[in-house]
Amino acid sequence: MNLWVPVRDESAVVNGLRSYGWWVAAGARFRLSAGPGVRISTAGLEPADAVRLASDFAAVLGESEATYGG
């Protein structure tokens, strides 16, 4: 399963999550008419890891808003 998560700045979120050890894809190559977003594949994601991903994602969104504000 893949999730599409809208974000303001794809690069900031991708790089931010990478710094936490997550590998997600910028949405540019996957979208046709949607706005900016990241694509997250969840097929092998364990429930405990999902909680950590959500927490790290929230932290990155806070950092990207303050830094890249878009």
Side-chain angles (χ1 to χ4, degrees):
M1 174 188 278
N2 295 306
L3 301 174
W4 180 265
V5 183
V7 298
R8 285 190 194 184
D9 186 331
E10 292 176 359
S11 295
V13 172
V14 168
N15 290 329
L17 285 173
R18 191 173 300 153
S19 72
Y20 283 93
W22 299 105
W23 197 247
V24 301
R29 67 181 181 168
F30 302 104
R31 69 174 176 257
L32 298 173
S33 62
V38 294
R39 184 174 180 228
I40 303 172
S41 295
T42 61
L45 191 63
E46 296 295 327
D49 291 331
V51 171
R52 188 172 64 87
L53 173 59
S55 176
D56 293 346
F57 200 98
V60 167
L61 288 179
E63 291 169 5
S64 68
E65 291 253 337
T67 306
Y68 299 99

